[in-house]
């Protein structure tokens, strides 16, 4: 009696490659940590008229005229570097994880979240860089009046913070990869899921749309965890 051989698991590496083994240091996940570091630097490089605790709200167009242009110019430049690193990270993730485990839905969602973040980040930090170019004493000062600068300021007030919302989906996908697909450690998956739930819950409870930007801190931890920890997606092949 002939028996049909069992099909390989869609989560396993292609049959032409040996199964992963071992642990140790893996360098490429540190790209994830680099994204987190660049995100924090770019995010908090801003000049605000309401930095003082005794500022008399509301913020007006005239208040924006007193903002220093240099932090916005630097923030825009660092933000563009972040976009490039996010795209490189997505490509490396695609090569190292998605292609190696083609049946993993979680790995695909992680990649989509990084790509979506890169797209929104390009817009958000483009606006920041533009504001840094148009404010008083900057290269193209007097291009816009106070009202025009105020509109740029309002856009840059929240857009760099909401740019990281898609990474919440990536965090939940890591949790899925940990507990359903067994491709990353459960500790990392649990942490990712808890962080995403806490940030999303805080947005729902407080109504502050920029809170997901705090996931930048989690990126730093996740990249280091994957680099030095033991997960199938970073294990070497014998």
């Amino acid at each position: 009696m002939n028996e049909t051989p069992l099909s390989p698991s869609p989560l396993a590496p292609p049959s032409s490659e040996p199964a992963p083994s071992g642990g140790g240091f893996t360098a490429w996940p540190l790209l994830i940590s680099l994204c987190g570091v660049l995100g924090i630097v770019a995010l908090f490089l801003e000049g605000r008229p309401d930095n003082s605790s005794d500022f008399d709200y509301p913020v007006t167009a005239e208040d924006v005229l007193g903002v220093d242009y240099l932090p916005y110019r630097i923030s825009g430049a660092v933000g563009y570097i972040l976009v490039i690193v996010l795209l490189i990270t997505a490509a490396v993730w695609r090569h190292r994880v998605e292609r190696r485990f083609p049946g993993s839905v979680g790995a695909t969602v992680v990649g989509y979240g990084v790509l979506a973040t890169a797209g929104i980040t390009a817009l958000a930090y483009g606006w920041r860089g533009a504001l840094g170019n148009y404010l008083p004493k900057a290269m193209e000062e007097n291009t816009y009046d106070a009202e025009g600068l105020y509109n740029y300021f309002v856009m840059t007030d929240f857009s760099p913070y909401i740019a990281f919302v898609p990474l919440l989906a990536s965090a939940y996908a890591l949790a899925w990869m940990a507990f359903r697909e067994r491709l990353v450690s459960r500790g990392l998956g649990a942490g990712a899921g808890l962080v995403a739930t806490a940030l999303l819950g805080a947005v729902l409870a407080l109504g502050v749309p920029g809170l997901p930007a705090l996931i930048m801190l989690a990126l730093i931890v996740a990249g280091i965890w994957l680099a030095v920890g033991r997960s199938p997606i970073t294990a070497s092949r014998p």
Side-chain angles (χ1 to χ4, degrees):
M1 179 178 177
N2 294 329
E3 295 183 358
T4 303
L6 295 176
S7 300
S9 168
L11 298 181
S15 56
S16 59
E17 302 179 2
S21 66
F25 178 77
T26 307
W28 69 261
L30 294 180
L31 283 168
I32 301 171
S33 298
L34 180 58
C35 289
V37 172
L38 290 172
I40 291 172
V41 172
L43 194 63
F44 292 106
L45 272 173
E46 60 178 349
R48 300 186 58 86
D50 54 345
N51 275 337
S52 173
S53 59
D54 59 355
F55 180 82
D56 188 17
Y57 287 96
V59 177
T60 66
E62 287 70 25
D63 293 324
V64 177
L65 293 176
V67 171
D68 185 5
Y69 75 92
L70 189 57
Y72 284 98
R73 174 181 284 183
I74 299 174
S75 178
V78 175
Y80 275 10
I81 295 172
L82 172 60
V83 171
I84 294 171
V85 177
L86 282 167
L87 292 175
I88 293 173
T89 301
V92 172
W93 180 269
R94 169 71 174 165
H95 178 73
R96 298 276 186 168
V97 182
E98 290 185 60
R99 289 184 177 178
R100 186 176 174 189
F101 302 95
S104 171
V105 174
T108 301
V109 175
V110 170
Y112 283 165
V114 175
L115 287 174
T117 295
I120 304 172
T121 300
L123 287 174
Y125 287 95
W127 291 327
R128 272 204 174 178
L131 180 58
N133 213 31
Y134 297 140
L135 282 167
K137 300 181 181 180
M139 184 180 300
E140 296 185 52
E141 64 174 335
N142 298 323
T143 300
Y144 293 98
D145 62 9
E147 293 294 335
L149 294 176
Y150 180 76
N151 287 331
Y152 265 106
F153 173 77
V154 170
M155 286 193 299
T156 61
D157 181 54
F158 68 91
S159 58
Y161 291 84
I162 65 175
F164 304 111
V165 171
L167 292 180
L168 296 181
S170 296
Y172 281 122
L174 275 179
W176 179 264
M177 292 175 68
F179 291 96
R180 179 64 178 86
E181 299 173 344
R182 307 292 177 86
L183 294 179
V184 298
S185 70
R186 291 188 176 184
L188 176 59
L194 287 174
V195 168
T197 300
L199 293 177
L200 187 59
V203 171
L204 296 176
L206 302 176
V208 180
L211 289 175
L214 294 176
I215 203 168
M216 292 291 98
L217 297 171
L219 285 188
I220 298 174
V221 176
I224 295 172
W225 191 312
L226 286 172
V228 302
R230 297 172 62 91
S231 291
I233 66 168
T234 56
S236 61
R237 300 182 180 95

